[in-house]
DNA sequence: AGCGGATGTCAAGTTGCTTGACAACTACTC
DNA sequence: GAGTAGTTGTCAAGCAACTTGACATCCGCT
């Protein structure tokens, strides 16, 4: 059996619904996204949107989580391609920040100033982003362990380092102050210092 | 509304079923294709195969028609790219014959000599191919009219010319005797002679 | 306060795939 | 040549997913 019909159909509805929600968001902001619009965009009933995605808040979260997945793909690739841990972190951060800069969805969310309450999607990305930080942290940590097993940190210390990286990147996305490359360099610099400091004292 | 869910799901089942049938055919010949195998390959019930595609004979026809569609895509492109009618015909024929030479499905069907009765799919492609010749004829004729409206033939004569081209190509696919380019040249030569003859006598 | 629009939820209806069964046919085996 | 296994084509009942219509609730606006 190569690939079942259900598998190739699995999540198709969800993807199409999120596509619709994302399109509306990119076009006119999250505040203009209604369950009915999402439904009619792809020609299903409003009820189906609720069945598949839950509440409107769940839609926002799902949208964020899906976009997050694309960012984490970049992380995995860049970490796998790097020879050195710090290089991997720098490259991964740079890739993620570039994606954040170029993503229409991200720019629409982050650029939502004032008008309407588009900002609640942004809120999810920042304050209420527990699941995001957690998921991203898991992936980043796994990437580190997969490719650079000899990190001079305890597991708990690694958790802190990873979480810090994720939070720094998230911050640079939501409030950019410099080039992706520069920001990535900054983050890598901090982490490298932490690692050398740790090495010196251990 | 960009694209409804139903539209993006429409024909997915059919495509997956035909993919399965084609894979089995390419792997071990049409005679080994059963409705149950098609169903289990993509994880649906046998009844669903019948509902979607009809009888086993219908599956063969659908397989042939789908492959035909790919060939006709080549025709449309090559005819559109040509400056001269005869060049268009030659290029289109060459493209189709190359595709016929390279298509695993076609080679499996045509190469079905003896063992089992794989040949009944081949039969469909040749003797029982009324629908194929007809469909191909419509597309080729339309391509000719779209790009070379000034053909010195009546509508009925054009029909004959087009059908002849289709039949010649089909013959060269099922029983190749020379290069695609050479065969295409032969067909174009015949048609060109017919056209000049017609011009001289009109 | 009242109104329109949106949300979240429910129950009934429809559609499409599944399941189990059946008769008819073919190929193989003893 | 009869028996057996495998396949086909078809049917009806069952089930899961989407649709439809309805309702209470909440929020922003006049």
């Amino acid at each position: 059996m190569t690939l079942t019909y259900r598998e190739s159909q699995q999540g198709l509805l969800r993807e199409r619904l999120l596509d619709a929600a994302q399109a509306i968001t990119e076009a006119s902001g999250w505040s203009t996204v209604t369950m009915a619009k999402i439904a009619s965009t792809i020609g299903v009933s409003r009820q189906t949107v609720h069945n598949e995605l839950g509440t409107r808040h769940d839609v926002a979260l799902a949208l964020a989580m899906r976009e997050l997945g694309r960012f984490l793909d970049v992380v995995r690739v860049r970490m796998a391609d790097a020879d050195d841990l710090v290089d991997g972190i720098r490259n991964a951060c740079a890739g993620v920040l570039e994606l954040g800069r170029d993503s229409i969805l991200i720019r629409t969310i982050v650029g939502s100033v004032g008008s309407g309450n588009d900002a609640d999607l942004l809120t999810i990305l920042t304050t209420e982003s527990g699941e995001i930080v957690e998921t991203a942290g898991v992936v980043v940590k796994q990437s580190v362990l997969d490719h650079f097993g000899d990190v001079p940190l305890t597991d708990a210390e690694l958790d802190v380092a990873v979480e810090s990286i994720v939070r720094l990147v998230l911050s640079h996305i939501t409030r950019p102050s410099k080039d992706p490359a520069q920001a990535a360099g900054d983050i890598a610099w901090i982490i490298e210092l932490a690692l050398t400091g740790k090495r010196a004292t251990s």
Side-chain angles (χ1 to χ4, degrees), chain A:
Chain A
M1 189 181 303
T2 54
L3 188 70
T4 69
Y5 173 53
R6 286 242 178 264
E7 281 166 359
S8 66
Q9 191 195 20
Q10 198 63 286
L12 173 60
L13 173 59
R14 186 184 178 84
E15 287 303 306
R16 300 288 291 109
L17 286 173
L18 290 178
D19 287 347
Q22 178 164 346
I24 300 169
T25 303
E26 293 179 354
S28 48
W30 171 250
S31 67
T32 70
V33 175
T34 72
M35 304 303 267
K37 270 192 200 171
I38 296 175
S40 72
T41 298
I42 70 164
V44 297
S45 66
R46 190 169 62 88
Q47 181 64 42
T48 299
V49 183
H50 283 291
N51 289 343
E52 185 65 34
L53 295 177
T55 71
R56 186 170 181 278
H57 180 267
D58 293 336
V59 175
L61 209 52
L63 216 49
M65 290 303 290
R66 187 175 72 154
E67 195 69 3
L68 172 63
R70 305 201 169 113
F71 282 67
L72 294 181
D73 287 343
V74 171
V75 169
R76 272 182 280 259
V77 170
R78 301 239 174 168
M79 291 291 281
D81 286 354
D83 301 321
D84 174 62
L85 173 58
V86 174
D87 277 349
I89 291 174
R90 182 170 22 240
N91 290 341
C93 287
V96 166
L97 290 173
E98 286 161 14
L99 202 51
R101 182 195 54 193
D102 299 337
S103 161
I104 298 176
L105 178 62
I106 296 294
R107 282 197 285 112
T108 306
I109 296 171
V110 173
S112 65
V113 280
S115 72
N117 40 359
D118 290 6
D120 51 355
L121 218 184
L122 175 58
T123 301
I124 290 175
L125 245 70
T126 52
T127 61
E128 201 184 335
S129 59
E131 198 175 349
I132 290 182
V133 172
E134 192 179 331
T135 303
V138 170
V139 170
V140 171
K141 182 183 178 187
Q142 196 55 50
S143 270
V144 170
L145 292 177
D146 283 350
H147 304 292
F148 311 98
D150 56 345
V151 184
L153 298 177
T154 66
D155 193 67
E157 290 170 339
L158 179 57
D159 282 344
V160 174
V162 165
E163 189 182 320
S164 300
I165 296 174
V166 171
R167 291 184 180 280
L168 283 171
V169 170
L170 214 48
S171 167
H172 274 282
I173 287 178
T174 56
R175 212 175 291 185
S177 64
K178 50 189 74 173
D179 271 13
Q182 287 180 317
D186 291 356
I187 297 173
W189 177 74
I190 296 272
I191 297 299
E192 186 168 26
L193 280 188
L195 286 179
T196 50
K198 178 67 190 175
R199 241 184 266 270
T201 62
S202 64

